[in-house]
Amino acid sequence: MKSDVLVIGGGVVGLSVARELQTLGKSTVLIDRIPVGTGCSFANAGWVTPCFAMPLPQPGMFFKSMKWLLDSSSPLHIQPSLSPTLIRWLWRFMCAMNRPQMLRSIEVLTEISKYSLDFYSQLASRVGPSIQFEKRGLLMVSATSSGVQAAIDEMNLMAERGIPGRKLSRDEVLAFEPTLRPVVQGGVYFPEEAQLEPYSASLALAKEFESAGGKILPPAEAYDFTLQNGAITEVHTTQGPLQADLVVLATGSWSPELARRLNLNIPILGGKGYSMTLEGVSRKPTHSMMLVDRKIAVTPFPDRLRIAGTLELVNQDFSVSVSRLRAIYQGAHEYLDLGLKTEVARKDSSTEAQSLPASISARDLWRGLRPCTPDGVPLIGFSSKVKNLFYCTGHQMLGLQSAPGSARLASDLIFGRTPLTHSKPFSPARFE
Ligand SMILES: Cc1cc2nc3c(=O)[nH]c(=O)nc-3n(C[C@H](O)[C@H](O)[C@H](O)COP(=O)(O)OP(=O)(O)OC[C@H]3O[C@@H](n4cnc5c(N)ncnc54)[C@H](O)[C@@H]3O)c2cc1C
């Protein structure tokens, strides 16, 4: 089968790119080895929050990251290892921990996120309530004065990018969100931020792609390529060979594995995170919330509550850590009175503390690998080594909220239009 474009990867990023290119007249085929939208895009926190468009490496993180190496229960954890991949990644991560680079990254990440927020708002008006798009705003709260200050610093940075926020004292925040416990010392509210149900959003993108004439093939894994004169002439998949003028790599945290088949070495590691989705919560918060000190995201959907957190740098490791799940649940419980029937087991009770509260069943638990680049900026652009290869991958914690903006930037570059924002920070050549 031959098409103008073959997109490999049917997460929210691949679907957004495929939809954009098909709508603009390129005949596009998309493949995934699993049903679309069921990778890392499946049960994330659902935030579409440009105020949160920060790269992972930030100034002053060096000592913190050393601590994470040693503390397996920290919300951000780096599994110590002598793997050359990890060492190279960490070196680049540390080099990116400077203010000028962080500000350049914030500028472009907020641009693609703001574009995405508008896009999802329009998507919701086209497809109706199925994607549960709501502009509830985002509340950042902390139980420490340093945490409150960190939220205020972020608010000031974001104000420079045109994203409004307002500071809330302890009393104001407790009145504003009555499910919060008095441990909270204050926070910041960003009123224009939104949320949606991530899997439904992927399905809506897939539907629009297919309605525009795009093709999603039955699950197929790309495992190799034929290269001729520096260009891909054939993609080998478990459903047979495919040909396209342009191949888009949108394979999230699996990207390095596939890129290696083209002798390309791109530094993406999986940032493992968990979510649990609770039903029957009698006291549901009104706003999406970031519990700053615990780095826990709380998202109230109309019928459920999702709690998400932790970022553990791994390779392709999908194992589940019950202690991390417990840390997320306990962290949320410390800050929020959700009126759950089962109280959390005491921290010091060894066997009891190993199991989750009865109110959480296995089907509520999920983990995903965020595709993390060491400088916290995705790769969006043509390969400098393989003529007809285009990357759209490495969206770290921001894939949902920046996918439509990334797709727009990708199509600007592919069609040679003025790009939505500076494209240089996204250039794959910085790593290839
Ligand atoms: C706990 C948690 C909470 C999060 N919360 C948010 C949030 O609130 N907002 C936000 O913006 N982001 C959030 N994220 C991050 C977000 O989920 C990711 O950035 C995003 O899903 C990445 O999308 P993707 O399309 O690049 O990857 P994926 O969704 O993983 O898609 C990649 C696809 O490529 C396919 N693939 C891989 N290799 C091959 C191959 N060889 N052949 C065929 N197919 C292949 C995979 O099967 C997969 O379906 C969160 C992540 C986690 C873990």
Side-chain angles (χ1 to χ4, degrees):
M1 183 187 285
K2 170 109 205 259
S3 56
D4 292 339
V5 182
L6 172 66
V7 175
I8 310 176
V12 69
V13 172
L15 287 165
S16 298
V17 177
R19 181 203 159 279
E20 176 83 9
L21 295 179
Q22 179 68 41
T23 311
L24 292 171
K26 297 262 183 210
S27 74
T28 303
V29 169
L30 180 143
I31 58 163
D32 200 307
R33 55 184 178 75
I34 53 177
V36 295
T38 59
C40 191
S41 305
F42 183 64
N44 60 44
W47 288 6
V48 183
T49 49
C51 72
F52 200 57
M54 304 281 287
L56 194 53
Q58 292 167 26
M61 260 189 163
F62 179 78
F63 291 108
K64 269 195 216 160
S65 49
M66 289 298 106
K67 215 174 105 199
W68 301 335
L69 270 170
L70 303 172
D71 180 3
S72 67
S73 65
S74 61
L76 293 153
H77 178 58
I78 304 167
Q79 187 77 50
S81 140
L82 291 177
S83 128
T85 309
L86 178 68
I87 292 168
R88 266 199 304 273
W89 193 100
L90 285 177
W91 171 248
R92 286 175 156 140
F93 180 55
M94 282 168 193
C95 292
M97 287 175 193
N98 63 80
R99 192 166 169 86
Q101 182 157 358
M102 180 188 78
L103 293 178
R104 279 197 299 275
S105 304
I106 290 177
E107 183 184 350
V108 293
L109 293 174
T110 49
E111 283 313 306
I112 57 173
S113 299
K114 285 199 273 188
Y115 179 94
S116 304
L117 177 58
D118 288 344
F119 175 93
Y120 285 127
S121 166
Q122 288 161 24
L123 180 67
S125 54
R126 291 195 295 273
V127 303
S130 63
I131 65 168
Q132 300 183 6
F133 177 87
E134 288 181 286
K135 270 198 168 184
R136 291 185 184 225
L138 176 75
L139 190 56
M140 288 176 80
V141 295
S142 172
T144 63
S145 51
S146 59
V148 174
Q149 190 53 49
I152 294 169
D153 292 345
E154 197 163 322
M155 179 186 81
N156 293 334
L157 264 179
M158 290 302 154
E160 289 169 24
R161 310 282 347 132
I163 299 165
R166 69 171 190 271
K167 201 171 128 184
L168 296 174
S169 68
R170 180 172 181 273
D171 290 347
E172 284 169 336
V173 87
L174 292 175
F176 190 64
E177 184 51 76
T179 51
L180 282 168
R181 295 185 193 269
V183 64
V184 167
Q185 295 302 310
V188 164
Y189 179 59
F190 295 95
E192 293 186 359
E193 314 305 281
Q195 61 181 64
L196 47 71
E197 205 293 302
Y199 180 52
S200 313
S202 285
L203 294 183
L205 290 166
K207 202 166 169 196
E208 288 203 338
F209 168 57
E210 289 185 307
S211 304
K215 284 197 177 56
I216 299 178
L217 300 188
E221 178 170 351
Y223 63 87
D224 209 353
F225 303 90
T226 303
L227 267 178
Q228 264 173 26
N229 302 324
I232 299 168
T233 51
E234 213 158 54
V235 178
H236 300 277
T237 84
T238 47
Q239 298 288 337
L242 297 171
Q243 288 143 13
D245 296 334
L246 182 71
V247 176
V248 178
L249 198 76
T251 40
S253 64
W254 293 270
S255 301
E257 199 179 306
L258 201 53
R260 261 194 299 277
R261 305 303 306 170
L262 292 160
N263 290 324
L264 301 170
N265 200 351
I266 53 167
I268 291 180
L269 283 180
K272 188 165 32 173
Y274 298 89
S275 75
M276 54 189 79
T277 306
L278 312 179
E279 284 168 7
V281 176
S282 58
R283 282 168 55 81
K284 201 147 44 84
T286 317
H287 306 93
S288 280
M289 265 182 275
M290 167 55 83
L291 312 180
V292 173
D293 320 291
R294 299 274 182 271
K295 302 214 180 313
I296 291 172
V298 179
T299 314
F301 291 112
D303 52 345
R304 292 160 300 152
L305 180 75
R306 184 163 293 161
I307 309 173
T310 82
L311 194 154
E312 187 185 357
L313 275 181
V314 293
N315 222 333
Q316 287 298 312
D317 168 12
F318 277 91
S319 60
V320 173
S321 155
V322 175
S323 62
R324 282 185 179 281
L325 282 166
R326 279 197 64 80
I328 297 172
Y329 186 83
Q330 275 178 338
H333 188 79
E334 267 172 47
Y335 282 71
L336 292 162
D337 177 4
L338 302 172
L340 289 175
K341 288 186 201 91
T342 320
E343 286 296 299
V344 181
R346 288 194 323 276
K347 269 185 189 165
D348 59 349
S349 157
S350 53
T351 29
E352 208 183 358
Q354 288 311 307
S355 58
L356 284 162
S359 58
I360 302 177
S361 68
R363 108 196 119 78
D364 301 316
L365 307 177
W366 173 83
R367 77 277 198 199
L369 294 188
R370 305 169 181 93
C372 296
T373 59
D375 61 5
V377 178
L379 285 88
I380 305 175
F382 284 99
S383 164
S384 60
K385 300 259 169 72
V386 177
K387 284 178 203 154
N388 58 344
L389 176 69
F390 192 95
Y391 293 95
C392 201
T393 184
H395 287 72
Q396 51 155 3
M397 308 94 81
L398 312 172
L400 174 69
Q401 76 170 48
S402 60
S406 301
R408 164 67 200 273
L409 177 62
S411 77
D412 290 341
L413 296 173
I414 290 166
F415 283 94
R417 293 186 311 236
T418 307
L420 171 67
T421 184
H422 311 299
S423 59
K424 202 168 164 215
F426 298 100
S427 168
R430 71 194 195 277
F431 295 133
E432 272 187 328

